[in-house]
Amino acid sequence: MTKLCSGVGASALVVAALTSSASADILYASNFNGNTIERITSAGAASVFSSSGLFSPDGLAFDHSGNLFVSNRGNNPNTIEKLTPSGAGTVFANSGLSNPQGMAFDSVGNLYVANAGNSTIVKLTPAGGSSIFASSGLSSPTALAFDSTGNLFVSNIGNNTIEKFTPAGVGSLFASSGLSSSFGLVFDTTGNLYASNVGNNTIERFTPAGVGSVFASTGLNGPFGMAFDSAGLLYVANSTNSTIVRFTTGGVGSVFASSGLNFPQHLAFTSDAGVPIPLANQVPAPAAAGLLCLGGLTACRRRRRS
C-alpha cells in the first residue's frame, strides 16, 4: 500500500507527519472567456493546462484517477469534457445537459451536474450514462457540494436558496437567507458550508444547522467557484477582475494569482504528484489513490492505489 495525503480540509492541518504541505498544492481554474484551464503553482504562477475541447468552460471536478472534468456552457450542444492528467481532452457526455455549471463527484464515482438551463441535476455514471437525479426544489441551480454523509447541496440562483438532497434524491430547504446569486459552494472539515455571493461580493458561511453569517466581504469582485487547499485556506475565483483571492481561516484575504486568468469560474486542487484533493468534507471514494488526510488523523484512511 502507498501512503499519500489528501482529503477533507478546511481547518488548520494537524497531521505533523505529512511529507508535503500546502506549498505543493496545484490549483486549476477554468477561464470562461479564454477557453482554457489554467494550472497555477503554489507561488501563483499560471500556465495553460489545456484548451482541448473547451467552449466557455465553467465547472471543474477531479475524479479519483486524476482526470479533470469540465462543463462547457458555450458548446452547442452543451458538453462535459474529460481531460487526462496530461491535458488531452475527449467528450465525456453530450446529452441531458442544459447550460451545465457546477459539478461534483459522489464517493463511488458518479458525476453530478447542475443544469441551470432546465433546473435539473443530472447524474452521470463513470461510463457516461445519464439520468435525472433531481428536478424539484430547483431554480437555476449553479453550484454543488457533497457533505460527508453523501447529501448533495445545491445553490439556486433563481430564488437565492440552498437545497439539500439525500442520496435518494429527496430534497429539502437548507438555507434561504444570506444568499445573493451564489455561484460557488464548498464545505470545511467541521461541516460548515461556504457560499460565494456574486450579487453582493461576500462569502457566506452556514453552520450544519443552516445558520448563516458573513465569512468575508473584502477583496471580492464577482466571487464564483471556491476550493480549500490541504492547509485549510480558502481560494475564491473573482470573475469580474480575473483574480484568485486566498483567505485565511479567519477570513483575511489576499490576492493569490492574477496572471493568465480571463473571467475565471471554478477551481480545483491536486497535489504536485497529481493526486486530487477532494472537495472539503467529502467521503473519499474507495478507489482513490493512497491515504487522504487533510483534516486530522480521524479523517485518514488507508486505501489501495488503483
Coordinates of all heavy atoms in Angstrom, one line a residue, residues 209-263:
A209 N -26.5 23.4 10.8 CA -27.9 23.7 11.1 C -28.5 24.7 10.1 O -29.7 25.0 10.2 CB -28.2 24.1 12.5
G210 N -27.7 25.3 9.3 CA -28.2 26.2 8.3 C -28.2 27.7 8.8 O -28.8 28.5 8.1
V211 N -27.5 28.0 9.9 CA -27.4 29.3 10.4 C -26.3 30.0 9.7 O -25.1 29.6 9.7 CB -27.2 29.4 11.9 CG1 -27.0 30.8 12.4 CG2 -28.3 28.7 12.6
G212 N -26.6 31.2 9.0 CA -25.6 31.9 8.2 C -25.0 33.1 8.8 O -25.6 33.7 9.7
S213 N -23.7 33.4 8.4 CA -23.0 34.6 8.8 C -22.0 34.9 7.8 O -21.6 34.1 7.0 CB -22.3 34.4 10.2 OG -21.4 33.4 10.1
V214 N -21.6 36.2 7.7 CA -20.7 36.6 6.7 C -19.3 36.2 7.1 O -18.8 36.5 8.1 CB -20.7 38.1 6.4 CG1 -19.6 38.6 5.5 CG2 -22.1 38.6 5.9
F215 N -18.6 35.4 6.2 CA -17.2 35.0 6.4 C -16.2 36.0 5.9 O -15.2 36.3 6.5 CB -17.0 33.6 5.8 CG -15.5 33.2 5.8 CD1 -14.9 32.8 6.9 CD2 -14.8 33.2 4.6 CE1 -13.6 32.4 6.9 CE2 -13.5 32.8 4.6 CZ -12.8 32.4 5.8
A216 N -16.5 36.6 4.7 CA -15.6 37.6 4.1 C -16.4 38.5 3.3 O -17.4 38.1 2.6 CB -14.5 36.9 3.3
S217 N -16.0 39.8 3.3 CA -16.6 40.8 2.4 C -15.7 41.8 1.8 O -16.1 42.7 1.2 CB -17.6 41.6 3.3 OG -17.0 42.2 4.4
T218 N -14.4 41.5 1.9 CA -13.4 42.4 1.3 C -12.5 41.5 0.3 O -12.4 40.3 0.4 CB -12.4 43.0 2.3 OG1 -11.7 41.9 3.0 CG2 -13.2 43.8 3.3
G219 N -12.0 42.2 -0.7 CA -11.2 41.6 -1.7 C -12.0 40.7 -2.7 O -11.4 40.0 -3.5
L220 N -13.3 40.9 -2.7 CA -14.1 40.1 -3.6 C -14.8 40.9 -4.7 O -15.2 42.0 -4.5 CB -15.2 39.4 -2.8 CG -14.7 38.4 -1.7 CD1 -15.8 38.0 -0.8 CD2 -14.1 37.2 -2.4
N221 N -14.7 40.4 -5.9 CA -15.3 41.1 -7.1 C -15.9 40.1 -8.0 O -15.2 39.5 -8.9 CB -14.1 41.9 -7.8 CG -14.6 43.0 -8.7 OD1 -15.7 42.9 -9.2 ND2 -13.8 44.0 -8.9
G222 N -17.1 39.8 -7.9 CA -17.8 38.7 -8.6 C -17.3 37.4 -8.2 O -16.9 36.6 -9.1
P223 N -17.3 37.0 -6.9 CA -16.8 35.7 -6.5 C -17.6 34.6 -7.1 O -18.8 34.5 -7.0 CB -16.9 35.8 -5.0 CG -18.0 36.8 -4.7 CD -17.9 37.8 -5.8
F224 N -16.9 33.6 -7.6 CA -17.5 32.4 -8.3 C -17.1 31.2 -7.5 O -17.4 31.0 -6.3 CB -17.1 32.4 -9.7 CG -18.3 32.5 -10.7 CD1 -18.8 33.7 -10.9 CD2 -18.7 31.4 -11.4 CE1 -19.9 33.8 -11.8 CE2 -19.8 31.5 -12.3 CZ -20.4 32.7 -12.5
G225 N -16.4 30.3 -8.2 CA -16.0 29.0 -7.6 C -15.0 29.1 -6.4 O -14.3 30.1 -6.4
M226 N -15.0 28.1 -5.5 CA -14.1 28.1 -4.4 C -13.5 26.7 -4.2 O -14.1 25.7 -4.7 CB -14.9 28.5 -3.1 CG -15.6 29.8 -3.2 SD -16.5 30.2 -1.6 CE -17.9 29.0 -1.8
A227 N -12.4 26.7 -3.5 CA -11.8 25.4 -3.2 C -10.9 25.6 -2.0 O -10.3 26.7 -1.8 CB -11.0 24.9 -4.3
F228 N -10.8 24.6 -1.1 CA -9.8 24.6 0.0 C -8.6 23.9 -0.4 O -8.6 22.9 -1.1 CB -10.4 23.9 1.2 CG -11.4 24.8 2.0 CD1 -12.8 24.6 1.9 CD2 -10.9 25.8 2.9 CE1 -13.7 25.3 2.6 CE2 -11.8 26.5 3.6 CZ -13.2 26.3 3.5
D229 N -7.4 24.4 0.0 CA -6.2 23.7 -0.1 C -6.0 22.7 1.0 O -6.8 22.6 1.9 CB -5.0 24.6 -0.4 CG -4.6 25.4 0.9 OD1 -5.1 25.1 2.0 OD2 -3.7 26.3 0.8
S230 N -4.9 22.0 1.0 CA -4.7 21.0 2.1 C -4.3 21.6 3.4 O -4.2 20.8 4.4 CB -3.6 20.0 1.6 OG -2.3 20.7 1.4
A231 N -4.1 22.9 3.5 CA -3.8 23.5 4.8 C -5.1 24.2 5.3 O -5.0 24.9 6.4 CB -2.7 24.5 4.7
G232 N -6.2 24.1 4.6 CA -7.4 24.7 5.1 C -7.6 26.2 4.7 O -8.5 26.9 5.3
L233 N -6.8 26.7 3.7 CA -7.0 28.0 3.2 C -8.0 28.0 2.1 O -8.0 27.1 1.3 CB -5.7 28.6 2.7 CG -4.6 28.7 3.8 CD1 -3.3 29.2 3.1 CD2 -5.0 29.5 5.0
L234 N -8.9 29.0 2.0 CA -10.0 29.1 1.1 C -9.6 30.0 -0.1 O -9.1 31.1 0.1 CB -11.2 29.6 1.7 CG -12.5 29.8 0.8 CD1 -12.9 28.5 0.3 CD2 -13.6 30.5 1.5
Y235 N -9.7 29.4 -1.3 CA -9.4 30.1 -2.6 C -10.7 30.4 -3.3 O -11.6 29.6 -3.4 CB -8.5 29.3 -3.5 CG -7.1 29.1 -2.9 CD1 -6.9 28.3 -1.8 CD2 -6.0 29.7 -3.5 CE1 -5.6 28.1 -1.2 CE2 -4.7 29.5 -2.9 CZ -4.5 28.7 -1.8 OH -3.3 28.5 -1.3
V236 N -10.8 31.7 -3.8 CA -12.0 32.1 -4.4 C -11.7 32.8 -5.8 O -10.8 33.6 -5.9 CB -12.8 33.2 -3.6 CG1 -14.1 33.6 -4.2 CG2 -13.1 32.6 -2.2
A237 N -12.4 32.3 -6.8 CA -12.2 32.9 -8.2 C -13.0 34.2 -8.3 O -14.3 34.1 -8.2 CB -12.6 31.9 -9.2
N238 N -12.4 35.3 -8.5 CA -13.0 36.6 -8.7 C -13.2 36.7 -10.2 O -12.3 37.0 -11.0 CB -12.2 37.8 -8.2 CG -12.4 38.1 -6.8 OD1 -13.5 37.9 -6.3 ND2 -11.4 38.6 -6.1
S239 N -14.5 36.5 -10.7 CA -14.7 36.5 -12.1 C -14.6 37.9 -12.7 O -14.0 38.1 -13.8 CB -16.1 36.0 -12.4 OG -17.1 36.8 -11.8
T240 N -15.0 39.0 -12.0 CA -15.1 40.3 -12.6 C -13.7 40.9 -12.8 O -13.5 41.6 -13.9 CB -16.0 41.2 -11.7 OG1 -17.2 40.6 -11.5 CG2 -16.1 42.6 -12.4
N241 N -12.8 40.7 -11.9 CA -11.5 41.3 -12.1 C -10.4 40.3 -12.4 O -9.2 40.6 -12.3 CB -11.1 42.2 -10.9 CG -10.9 41.4 -9.6 OD1 -11.1 40.2 -9.6 ND2 -10.6 42.1 -8.5
S242 N -10.8 39.1 -12.7 CA -9.9 38.0 -13.1 C -8.7 37.8 -12.2 O -7.6 37.9 -12.5 CB -9.4 38.3 -14.5 OG -10.5 38.2 -15.5
T243 N -9.1 37.6 -10.9 CA -8.1 37.3 -9.9 C -8.5 36.1 -9.1 O -9.7 35.7 -9.1 CB -7.8 38.4 -8.9 OG1 -9.0 38.7 -8.2 CG2 -7.3 39.7 -9.7
I244 N -7.6 35.5 -8.3 CA -7.9 34.5 -7.3 C -7.5 35.0 -6.0 O -6.3 35.4 -5.8 CB -7.3 33.1 -7.6 CG1 -7.9 32.6 -8.9 CG2 -7.5 32.1 -6.5 CD1 -7.2 31.3 -9.5
V245 N -8.4 35.0 -5.0 CA -8.1 35.5 -3.7 C -8.0 34.3 -2.7 O -8.8 33.4 -2.8 CB -9.2 36.5 -3.2 CG1 -8.9 37.0 -1.8 CG2 -9.2 37.7 -4.1
R246 N -7.0 34.4 -1.8 CA -6.8 33.4 -0.8 C -7.2 33.9 0.6 O -6.7 35.0 0.9 CB -5.4 32.8 -0.8 CG -5.1 31.8 0.2 CD -3.7 31.2 0.0 NE -2.6 32.3 0.0 CZ -1.4 32.0 -0.4 NH1 -1.0 30.9 -0.8 NH2 -0.5 33.0 -0.3
F247 N -8.0 33.2 1.3 CA -8.4 33.6 2.6 C -7.9 32.7 3.7 O -7.9 31.5 3.6 CB -10.0 33.6 2.7 CG -10.6 34.7 1.9 CD1 -11.0 34.5 0.6 CD2 -10.8 36.0 2.5 CE1 -11.6 35.5 -0.1 CE2 -11.4 37.0 1.7 CZ -11.8 36.8 0.4
T248 N -7.5 33.3 4.8 CA -7.1 32.6 6.0 C -8.4 32.0 6.6 O -9.5 32.3 6.3 CB -6.4 33.4 7.0 OG1 -7.3 34.4 7.5 CG2 -5.2 34.2 6.4
T249 N -8.2 31.1 7.6 CA -9.3 30.6 8.3 C -10.1 31.7 9.1 O -11.3 31.5 9.4 CB -8.9 29.5 9.3 OG1 -7.9 30.0 10.2 CG2 -8.3 28.3 8.6
G250 N -9.5 32.8 9.3 CA -10.1 34.0 10.0 C -10.8 34.9 9.0 O -11.4 35.9 9.4
G251 N -10.7 34.6 7.7 CA -11.4 35.4 6.7 C -10.6 36.6 6.2 O -11.2 37.5 5.5
V252 N -9.3 36.6 6.4 CA -8.4 37.6 5.9 C -8.0 37.3 4.5 O -7.4 36.2 4.3 CB -7.2 37.9 6.8 CG1 -6.3 39.0 6.2 CG2 -7.7 38.3 8.2
G253 N -8.2 38.1 3.5 CA -7.9 37.8 2.1 C -6.7 38.5 1.5 O -6.4 39.6 2.0
S254 N -6.1 37.9 0.5 CA -5.0 38.5 -0.2 C -5.0 37.9 -1.6 O -5.5 36.8 -1.8 CB -3.6 38.3 0.4 OG -3.4 36.9 0.5
V255 N -4.5 38.6 -2.6 CA -4.5 38.2 -4.0 C -3.5 37.1 -4.1 O -2.3 37.3 -3.8 CB -4.2 39.3 -5.0 CG1 -4.1 38.8 -6.4 CG2 -5.4 40.3 -4.9
F256 N -3.9 35.9 -4.6 CA -3.0 34.8 -4.8 C -2.5 34.7 -6.3 O -1.4 34.4 -6.5 CB -3.8 33.5 -4.5 CG -3.0 32.2 -4.9 CD1 -1.9 31.8 -4.2 CD2 -3.5 31.5 -6.0 CE1 -1.2 30.7 -4.6 CE2 -2.8 30.3 -6.3 CZ -1.6 29.9 -5.7
A257 N -3.4 35.0 -7.2 CA -3.0 34.9 -8.6 C -3.8 35.9 -9.4 O -5.0 36.2 -9.1 CB -3.2 33.5 -9.2
S258 N -3.2 36.5 -10.5 CA -3.9 37.4 -11.3 C -3.4 37.3 -12.8 O -4.1 37.8 -13.7 CB -3.6 38.9 -10.9 OG -2.2 39.2 -10.9
S259 N -2.3 36.6 -13.1 CA -1.9 36.4 -14.5 C -2.5 35.2 -15.0 O -2.8 34.2 -14.3 CB -0.4 36.4 -14.5 OG 0.1 35.2 -13.8
G260 N -2.7 35.2 -16.3 CA -3.2 34.0 -17.0 C -4.7 33.8 -16.9 O -5.2 32.8 -17.3
L261 N -5.4 34.7 -16.2 CA -6.8 34.5 -15.9 C -7.7 35.4 -16.7 O -7.4 36.6 -17.0 CB -7.1 34.8 -14.4 CG -6.3 33.9 -13.4 CD1 -6.5 34.3 -12.0 CD2 -6.8 32.4 -13.6
N262 N -8.8 34.8 -17.2 CA -9.8 35.6 -18.0 C -11.2 35.2 -17.7 O -11.7 34.2 -18.2 CB -9.5 35.3 -19.5 CG -10.2 36.2 -20.5 OD1 -11.1 36.9 -20.1 ND2 -9.7 36.2 -21.7
F263 N -11.8 35.9 -16.8 CA -13.1 35.6 -16.2 C -13.1 34.2 -15.6 O -13.9 33.3 -16.1 CB -14.2 35.8 -17.3 CG -15.5 36.1 -16.7 CD1 -15.8 37.3 -16.1 CD2 -16.6 35.2 -16.8 CE1 -17.1 37.6 -15.6 CE2 -17.8 35.4 -16.3 CZ -18.1 36.7 -15.7

